[in-house]
């Protein structure tokens, strides 16, 4: 598991360098991180801490991290999900987002169904579990999506 985390962070660093190098000015880069479950999950806190560590050590330019917890396990209702994305769409409408990181299951379909077009058009990293029962499942929202899939051990 630690090996997978290191690979994820390395790939994340490479994508960040590629995404951020396309923008020439020195304005802080805005990163939106969407977690599919609630804030209390220890795994999410570890991912967020490691993400911040990599940015601090390797990137060296100003950035701002925006974090949203979707809590789709507790609130699977479609009305809630629409409400949640209406709020997210409005909240970040006037923020130039340089990168979106999606962590956990069920985020890509939510973005596809409810996110505003501007969220569907930015560079994205999707960290998800590979679905062994659906080999055709999409883990991407656009051509600028890098999907990092983790296989669950049986």
């Amino acid at each position: 598991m630690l090996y997978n985390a290191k690979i994820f962070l390395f790939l994340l660093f490479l994508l960040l360098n590629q995404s951020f190098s396309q923008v020439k000015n020195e304005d802080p880069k805005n990163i939106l991180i969407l977690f599919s479950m609630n804030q209390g999950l220890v795994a999410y806190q570890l991912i967020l801490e490691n993400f911040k560590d990599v940015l601090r050590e390797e990137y060296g330019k100003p950035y701002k991290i925006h974090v949203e917890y979707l809590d789709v396990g507790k609130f699977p209702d479609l009305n809630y999900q629409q409400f949640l994305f209406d709020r997210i769409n409005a909240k970040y409408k006037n923020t130039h987002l340089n990168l979106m990181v999606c962590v956990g299951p069920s985020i890509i379909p939510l973005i596809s169904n409810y996110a505003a077009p501007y969220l569907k058009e930015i560079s994205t990293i999707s960290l998800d579990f590979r679905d062994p029962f659906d080999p055709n499942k999409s883990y991407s929202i656009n051509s600028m999506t890098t999907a990092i899939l983790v296989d669950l051990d049986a």
Side-chain angles (χ1 to χ4, degrees), residues 35-38 41 44 69-77 80-81 84 105-106 110:
F35 290 103
S36 66
M37 299 298 174
N38 65 50
L41 292 177
Y44 286 174
Y69 296 90
L70 306 180
D71 210 357
V72 296
K74 187 174 181 182
F75 302 105
D77 181 72
Y80 170 76
Q81 294 169 3
L84 182 66
S106 304
L110 289 176

Side-chain angles (χ1 to χ4, degrees), residues 25-123:
N25 61 28
E26 287 300 318
D27 292 337
K29 307 306 178 216
N30 288 291
I31 304 166
L32 174 60
I33 302 177
L34 299 174
F35 290 103
S36 66
M37 299 298 174
N38 65 50
Q39 186 173 1
L41 292 177
V42 174
Y44 286 174
Q45 297 309 313
L46 292 172
I47 290 170
L48 189 57
E49 287 173 23
N50 284 317
F51 184 77
K52 289 177 181 178
D53 288 344
V54 168
L55 284 175
R56 219 178 353 265
E57 294 170 8
E58 304 291 338
Y59 185 61
K61 295 180 182 172
Y63 62 88
K64 183 173 181 183
I65 295 177
H66 309 269
V67 179
E68 299 288 341
Y69 296 90
L70 306 180
D71 210 357
V72 296
K74 187 174 181 182
F75 302 105
D77 181 72
L78 296 179
N79 290 330
Y80 170 76
Q81 294 169 3
Q82 179 66 60
F83 166 78
L84 182 66
F85 268 92
D86 286 347
R87 188 181 66 81
I88 290 171
N89 291 335
K91 183 176 181 180
Y92 297 105
K93 181 178 181 179
N94 296 320
T95 302
H96 177 74
L97 295 170
N98 302 92
L99 179 67
M100 181 167 52
V101 180
C102 304
V103 181
S106 304
I107 294 181
I108 297 301
L110 289 176
I111 293 170
S112 296
N113 290 331
Y114 302 115
Y118 76 90
L119 285 174
K120 297 177 186 179
E121 297 171 355
I122 62 175
S123 297

